[in-house]
């Protein structure tokens, strides 16, 4: 359904009146058009410089707002003002390496680097700050931990100040482990690539933790079809976000097994035919759902075949105020959205099971901002999606999975333009579209692209994370 408020605000009169305009977001694998600039606070940007070099991105030196770099501007009425020295051209992105930040005074450099960049960043530009996990500094370096935590407040605030589809995100890396700088740069590169590209169009104001990939694994960065020859299972693939997830994986080379309930068989077959995948009609709540998925993979691709990624997208809503929610309405949502994927994971993680999950596999769940902030009339749904968050955090910390190189992550979509949201009352729908920093709803492809990044073989250093795809929604902020 058309965005009613966007139609009202996109005409010339609305622009003259100063009404907010929803920007056209850069999507896909396209990098920023303007130059990527690189700065450092508290040290040198060697880590991020090495990571950008792995991606083939040449970065310019960032400008710093200091007394020496400010210039005086004269207005038509003769008044003057002192402003940061402008960049020679519009910049596409600022990557700010703050991993060496150790004191509150170092935060002045962060301000000095951000201020001129914010005035020059292009439409759908990017601000990416790279810092350290404050918790790693607890107990020994309180000033450094405080400074690193301060970065989160800065980045989330900057995300709300940016306009024209630009986004700001914070990436935290682990530099305290016994790893060489080149290894840490490789761990970081996949996440930097995603955040710079249009694939992250609706990811804004987020904090992403990057750990370390298992040693000895070769990570291919920048592949156009990173899933070539890989098997990916997507549940709830018959329509909406699930169909978009299947399409993105197929676009990137995957052999997709599209799963949905028999009642959605026609839509499921259409999706599978469109992408050249296989369709499996299956109620994921059945006790043997995991075995049937594995059997389908083994039958179609051979007993030696293994699943590279499973995306637990299937979900239902049964909305009612909790006071009016009966046992069936409560249990059915928890069963589909949470309990079923726990059982399926347990089966597919058996390394001896033909058609099960491979070493180095990816498990991606779909949570929701409702699971973070709650939602009126959705106690059952919010419980199930919060449960998904708890599940991936627990599994992401499981050393048995780490030994096999298996990562477990989730996305938490906000307001996404689907058939379901199109049926919301107009006023409710328009408000939901606007209460985020990008002032618009997301698209199913935004969720799909984020899931595809988490599932890439090169994203081996990210696990136990929940990435919100919500345009920095004020809900749960």
């Amino acid at each position: 359904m058309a965005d009613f408020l966007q139609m009202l605000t996109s005409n010339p009169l609305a622009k003259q009146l100063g009404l907010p305009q929803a920007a056209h977001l850069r999507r896909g694998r396209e990098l920023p058009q303007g130059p990527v600039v690189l700065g450092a606070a508290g040290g040198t940007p060697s880590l991020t410089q090495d990571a950008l070099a792995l991606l083939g991105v040449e970065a310019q030196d960032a400008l710093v707002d200091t007394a020496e770099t400010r210039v005086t501007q004269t207005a038509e009425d003769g008044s003057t003002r002192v402003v940061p020295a402008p960049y020679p051209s519009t910049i596409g992105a600022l990557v700010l390496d703050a991993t060496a930040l150790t004191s509150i005074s170092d935060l002045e450099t962060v301000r000095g680097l951000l201020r001129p960049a914010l005035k020059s960043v292009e439409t759908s530009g990017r601000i990416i700050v790279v810092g350290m996990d404050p918790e790693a500094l607890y107990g020994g370096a309180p000033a450094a931990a405080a400074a690193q935590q301060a970065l989160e407040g800065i980045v989330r605030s900057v995300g709300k100040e940016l306009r024209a589809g630009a986004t700001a995100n914070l990436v935290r890396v682990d530099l305290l482990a016994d790893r060489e700088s080149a290894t840490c740069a490789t761990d970081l590169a996949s996440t930097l690539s995603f955040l710079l590209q249009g694939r992250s169009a609706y990811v804004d104001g987020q904090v992403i933790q990057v750990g370390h990939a298992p040693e000895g694994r070769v990570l291919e960065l920048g592949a156009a079809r990173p899933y070539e020859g890989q098997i990916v299972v997507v549940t709830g693939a018959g329509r909406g976000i699930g169909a978009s997830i299947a399409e993105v994986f197929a676009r990137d080379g995957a052999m997709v097994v599209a799963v949905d309930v028999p009642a959605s068989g026609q839509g499921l077959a259409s999706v599978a035919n469109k992408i050249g995948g296989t369709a499996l009609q299956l109620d994921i709540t059945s006790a043997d759902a995991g075995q049937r998925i594995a059997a389908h993979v083994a039958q179609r691709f051979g007993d030696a075949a293994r699943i590279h990624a499973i995306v637990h997208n299937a979900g239902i809503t049964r909305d009612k105020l909790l006071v009016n929610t009966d046992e069936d309405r409560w249990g059915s949502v928890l069963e589909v959205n949470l309990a079923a994927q726990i059982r399926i994971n347990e089966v597919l993680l058996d390394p001896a099971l033909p058609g099960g999950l491979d070493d180095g596999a990816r498990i991606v769940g779909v949570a929701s901002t409702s699971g973070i902030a709650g939602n009126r009339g959705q106690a059952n749904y919010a419980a199930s999606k919060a449960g998904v968050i708890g599940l991936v955090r627990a599994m992401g910390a499981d050393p048995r999975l780490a030994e096999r190189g298996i990562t477990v992550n989730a996305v938490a979509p906000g307001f996404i333009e689907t058939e379901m949201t199109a049926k919301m009352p107009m006023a409710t729908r328009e408000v939901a579209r606007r209460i985020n920093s990008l002032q618009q709803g997301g698209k199913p492809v935004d969720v799909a692209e984020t899931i595809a990044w988490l599932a890439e073989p090169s994203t081996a250093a990210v696990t136990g994370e929940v990435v919100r795809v919500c345009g920095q929604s004020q809900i749960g902020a």
Side-chain angles (χ1 to χ4, degrees):
M1 180 175 289
D3 185 331
F4 179 72
L5 190 56
Q6 191 168 21
M7 289 190 295
L8 290 180
T9 59
S10 60
N11 63 70
L13 177 60
K15 294 179 181 179
Q16 292 177 11
L17 293 174
L19 295 176
Q21 307 294 306
H24 176 74
L25 303 183
R26 170 171 56 91
R27 289 184 164 91
R29 293 185 176 273
E30 180 185 354
L31 288 167
Q33 292 184 349
V36 175
V37 298
L38 176 62
T44 60
S46 56
L47 171 66
T48 47
Q49 194 168 40
D50 291 346
L52 289 171
L54 289 171
L55 300 173
V57 175
E58 294 185 10
Q60 300 180 8
D61 292 335
L63 292 177
V64 183
D65 171 32
T66 66
E68 292 74 22
T69 61
R70 292 171 193 151
V71 297
T72 301
Q73 289 183 346
T74 303
E76 292 182 0
D77 62 2
S79 62
T80 62
R81 63 174 182 165
V82 178
V83 299
Y87 280 98
S89 62
T90 300
I91 67 170
L94 166 67
V95 180
L96 197 167
D97 190 326
T99 54
L101 200 74
T102 58
S103 68
I104 304 306
S105 60
D106 287 339
L107 292 171
E108 163 56 25
T109 307
V110 176
R111 183 208 64 81
L113 286 163
L114 285 172
R115 188 179 179 213
L118 297 183
K119 293 176 176 290
S120 302
V121 68
E122 69 186 18
T123 298
S124 283
R126 298 289 188 263
I127 303 294
I128 303 171
V129 178
V130 181
M132 289 183 62
D133 182 1
E135 293 188 17
L137 303 170
Y138 291 172
Q148 290 291 336
Q149 186 64 52
L151 292 175
E152 182 172 341
I154 294 170
V155 168
R156 292 191 190 278
S157 298
V158 166
K160 294 176 180 179
E161 294 179 10
L162 289 168
R163 291 294 179 263
T167 63
N169 292 285
L170 172 63
V171 182
R172 288 175 173 158
V173 296
D174 176 14
L175 296 181
L176 299 182
D178 185 17
R179 295 288 181 118
E180 297 179 358
S181 176
T183 302
C184 292
T186 301
D187 293 334
L188 173 63
S190 173
T191 300
L192 271 188
S193 175
F194 170 71
L195 292 176
L196 284 171
Q197 291 180 359
R199 293 188 294 165
S200 62
Y202 209 58
V203 176
D204 192 12
Q206 297 304 292
V207 180
I208 300 171
Q209 183 77 39
V210 174
H212 297 292
E215 293 186 17
R217 292 190 177 275
V218 179
L219 307 180
E220 183 181 359
L221 293 164
R225 291 169 62 84
Y227 308 104
E228 194 71 57
Q230 302 279 7
I231 299 169
V232 175
V233 176
V234 181
T235 68
R239 62 173 182 160
I241 292 174
S244 185
I245 294 168
E247 290 169 6
V248 166
F249 274 106
R251 178 203 68 190
D252 291 348
M255 299 180 289
V256 177
V257 177
V259 180
D260 216 324
V261 292
S264 299
Q266 184 174 351
L268 181 66
S270 177
V271 170
N273 290 335
K274 180 180 178 180
I275 64 174
T278 68
L280 174 61
Q281 294 186 20
L282 173 68
D283 179 352
I284 62 168
T285 65
S286 62
D288 63 345
Q291 288 87 348
R292 289 181 60 185
I293 291 172
H296 178 89
V297 169
Q299 180 183 7
R300 291 300 182 102
F301 305 105
D303 287 343
R306 293 292 183 272
I307 298 169
H308 168 71
I310 181 166
V311 181
H312 293 290
N313 169 72
I316 62 171
T317 57
R318 296 290 185 269
D319 296 352
K320 281 283 185 182
L321 294 177
L322 183 59
V323 70
N324 298 322
T325 300
D326 59 23
E327 183 178 358
D328 179 68
R329 190 177 293 271
W330 179 268
S332 61
V333 171
L334 286 167
E335 180 68 13
V336 174
N337 297 2
L338 181 59
Q341 64 178 274
I342 293 175
R343 290 194 298 269
I344 290 171
N345 287 341
E346 289 175 348
V347 171
L348 296 182
L349 281 169
D350 181 355
L353 177 69
L357 285 161
D358 198 5
D359 289 350
R362 306 284 182 257
I363 299 173
V364 186
V366 176
S368 169
T369 53
S370 294
I372 297 170
N375 200 15
R376 186 176 186 272
Q378 285 195 320
N380 51 0
Y381 183 76
S384 69
K385 295 304 184 179
V388 170
I389 294 171
L391 176 65
V392 301
R393 287 176 177 166
M395 295 182 71
D398 190 333
R400 296 169 299 177
L401 299 186
E403 289 175 2
R404 295 181 59 189
I406 295 173
T407 67
V408 188
N409 295 286
V411 297
F415 183 88
I416 305 298
E417 304 282 359
T418 64
E419 292 181 10
M420 182 177 71
T421 57
K423 296 176 182 178
M424 295 169 62
M426 185 179 72
T428 303
R429 185 175 64 248
E430 296 303 335
V431 169
R433 280 174 171 151
R434 303 299 155 181
I435 54 172
N436 62 75
S437 297
L438 297 176
Q439 300 181 347
Q440 59 189 288
K443 295 183 177 181
V445 71
D446 297 325
V447 180
E449 293 281 21
T450 306
I451 289 172
W453 157 63
L454 288 170
E456 282 187 9
S458 60
T459 313
V462 178
T463 191
E465 292 293 292
V466 179
V467 181
R468 289 172 54 178
V469 187
C470 64
Q472 199 180 18
S473 173
Q474 304 304 309
I475 297 176

